[in-house]
Amino acid sequence: MNEVKIIEVKQSVFAHNDMDAAALRKELKEKGIFLINLMSSPGSGKTTTLTKLINMLKDKMKIAVMEADIDSDVDTRTIAERTGVKAIQLHTGGMCHLDAEMTRQGIEGLDAGDADLVILENVGNLVCPAEFDTGASRNVTILSVPEGHDKPLKYPLMYQVCDLVVINKIDVMPYFDFDLEKCREYVKMRNPEAAFIPVSAKTGEGIEELAAWVEKEVKAWKEA
């Protein structure tokens, strides 16, 4: 009986994407565009947090947004209406993530050549988006209080690849069994270098600290 030929497609796909991502990151650096890849599960408050953040930063830097979803343009309309910044919708055709080539197409469609900061709101998912390098300058994830403080243990890769973990909806913490310090400990187990910022997108608490983190990272990246 002949041996079955096995091809490691997943490894090949990741390797090719990593090369594309590195090339895109270099191109964005040359253009002076700082790209944040924002990830989380559905319902964590990405769009609301993003709206508050953009309104705090838009007078200090030129910002543009790419909204990735399987379908609809709800989030793009929300961002455009509530912040006034340029925003486009990326439909993934059923895919649960964006890769570097998809991100490149989004950047080209956004026509963001004069932007200081581009934010990619990735598809809501704690697994697939973490597996694909988008070419971003920094990766950020949002974990909301109702999801539970144990998510860094259950979805390790998401927290390993992120430079910042934002804990959202802290205004409802009294009503949930959520241990903020335990969550911080679990994040540090996965990624000792990750920053950790609790916020409430609803009340605005912590958004100023989040904006300061973004400003600091953009400044350091431009000076590097």
Side-chain angles (χ1 to χ4, degrees):
M1 183 175 179
N2 294 332
E3 290 187 6
V4 174
K5 184 177 182 180
I6 300 174
I7 301 174
E8 296 292 346
V9 176
K10 185 176 182 180
Q11 182 177 355
S12 175
V13 168
F14 284 164
H16 187 271
N17 182 71
D18 287 348
M19 290 188 292
D20 285 348
L24 177 58
R25 197 157 22 242
K26 182 180 179 182
E27 291 170 23
L28 293 176
K29 177 71 172 177
E30 291 170 351
K31 293 177 181 178
I33 298 175
F34 186 91
L35 174 63
I36 288 179
N37 176 28
L38 180 62
M39 300 176 284
S40 79
S41 61
S44 67
K46 285 195 301 298
T47 306
T48 306
T49 304
L50 196 50
T51 299
K52 289 283 179 68
L53 176 64
I54 290 170
N55 282 329
M56 191 167 285
L57 289 175
K58 66 183 182 181
D59 292 334
K60 301 178 180 180
M61 59 183 74
K62 187 157 187 182
I63 302 172
V65 177
M66 298 185 292
E67 290 286 347
D69 276 304
I70 292 173
D71 203 352
S72 91
D73 60 359
V74 173
D75 291 342
T76 302
R77 290 181 180 275
T78 299
I79 290 293
E81 290 170 3
R82 295 183 183 177
T83 69
V85 303
K86 183 185 291 186
I88 63 166
Q89 186 71 49
L90 306 180
H91 282 168
T92 64
M95 297 185 72
C96 60
H97 68 276
L98 257 69
D99 59 21
E101 178 55 31
M102 295 175 190
T103 304
R104 181 189 297 278
Q105 291 178 40
I107 292 285
E108 291 171 353
L110 186 60
D111 190 21
D114 58 345
D116 301 298
L117 171 64
V118 172
I119 302 173
L120 165 63
E121 185 177 338
N122 216 315
V123 180
N125 190 313
L126 287 178
V127 181
C128 302
E131 295 183 326
F132 288 86
D133 188 346
T134 61
S137 311
R138 298 290 185 271
N139 290 315
V140 176
T141 189
I142 296 177
L143 168 62
S144 65
V145 166
E147 295 174 71
H149 59 257
D150 59 354
K151 287 299 177 288
L153 299 181
K154 295 183 176 182
Y155 300 92
L157 184 60
M158 175 59 71
Y159 298 89
Q160 288 168 12
V161 303
C162 280
D163 302 286
L164 169 65
V165 177
V166 177
I167 306 301
N168 190 26
K169 305 185 182 181
I170 59 171
D171 54 296
V172 300
M173 203 150 48
Y175 309 104
F176 290 88
D177 185 20
F178 188 94
D179 188 325
L180 189 63
E181 290 311 309
K182 186 64 71 173
C183 183
R184 190 193 304 268
E185 176 186 331
Y186 292 158
V187 168
K188 294 301 181 182
M189 284 171 56
R190 299 305 185 191
N191 185 350
E193 302 302 318
F196 186 93
I197 301 177
V199 307
S200 168
K202 182 177 181 180
T203 68
E205 182 179 356
I207 300 299
E208 189 171 340
E209 182 181 355
L210 175 57
W213 183 89
V214 173
E215 283 190 88
K216 183 186 72 173
E217 292 298 314
V218 171
K219 183 175 185 291
W221 175 84
K222 285 182 177 290
E223 292 176 350

